[in-house]
Amino acid sequence: MDTKKIMECERGRFDKLIKFRLPHRFMLIGIAISAISIIAMFVRGFAMNGDTEWLKQLLQKTLLVGMLIMSISKDKVEDEMTIQLRAQSYMIAFILGVIYALVMPYVEFGVSNMVHNGGKVYKDLGDFQVLLFMLLIQLMFYHNLKRYR
């Protein structure tokens, strides 16, 4: 094989990965998964006693999967403009997610020290908190950008 064919093959694979979208019906599936996860989190928080840490972790991961399905599902009308708006929303979500991950631990540390006289220990954000923030930002900005185009 010559180099040109290899490069074209790799470019084709890369394009397939970039253009990957789930069909529009997956939007409703993602909404349902997210809603069920949120309702189950409330039920777990108010009604269940005992050691349910495993359930908390499961519901958090399920919520993230539901939001990811919503994020990568197509719109009813998918054109170049919606693809561009989706890319912009991912860019905004990434930038704000990095800023959030860098700044929020210090804000939390400062606020906890002001509220509790003593000294709260500095702690990093968990993966769930950062991923949830980024997916929320992406979905919010994408739908707002679509509305005001």
Side-chain angles (χ1 to χ4, degrees):
M1 272 193 170
D2 63 339
T3 308
K4 202 170 209 174
K5 280 188 175 183
I6 294 173
M7 289 175 58
E8 287 175 12
C9 182
E10 291 298 318
R11 182 64 182 175
R13 288 182 187 167
F14 190 63
D15 283 343
K16 281 183 184 179
L17 183 64
I18 288 175
K19 295 177 182 177
F20 174 75
R21 297 280 180 264
L22 294 173
H24 178 68
R25 68 178 177 270
F26 279 90
M27 176 65 83
L28 294 176
I29 294 170
I31 291 171
I33 291 171
S34 298
I36 290 169
S37 297
I38 291 170
I39 291 168
M41 284 178 180
F42 278 112
V43 169
R44 181 199 158 268
F46 290 117
M48 292 186 176
N49 294 328
D51 186 26
T52 58
E53 186 64 28
W54 65 272
L55 183 59
K56 176 184 173 186
Q57 295 293 321
L58 178 70
L59 292 172
Q60 287 178 346
K61 303 304 183 213
T62 307
L63 176 62
L64 289 176
V65 167
M67 291 179 69
L68 180 64
I69 289 170
M70 290 167 48
S71 177
I72 61 175
S73 62
K74 288 182 182 179
D75 286 338
K76 286 181 183 177
V77 178
E78 190 83 12
D79 58 1
E80 291 83 14
M81 178 63 107
T82 57
I83 292 169
Q84 179 68 24
L85 294 176
R86 189 181 306 270
Q88 287 177 353
S89 68
Y90 280 122
M91 180 191 65
I92 292 168
F94 179 77
I95 291 170
L96 291 178
V98 169
I99 292 170
Y100 178 78
L102 292 174
V103 172
M104 194 61 193
Y106 296 109
V107 171
E108 190 175 314
F109 177 72
V111 170
S112 68
N113 280 334
M114 289 171 54
V115 172
H116 304 292
N117 290 335
K120 277 283 192 164
V121 181
Y122 170 84
K123 65 176 187 172
D124 281 326
L125 299 175
D127 58 343
F128 172 74
Q129 193 172 356
V130 174
L131 291 173
L132 180 70
F133 178 79
M134 290 176 73
L135 283 168
L136 283 171
I137 292 295
Q138 189 275 324
L139 290 168
M140 180 185 67
F141 270 93
Y142 177 63
H143 289 288
N144 279 332
L145 287 171
K146 253 187 358 183
R147 187 181 330 155
Y148 298 120
R149 61 179 159 157

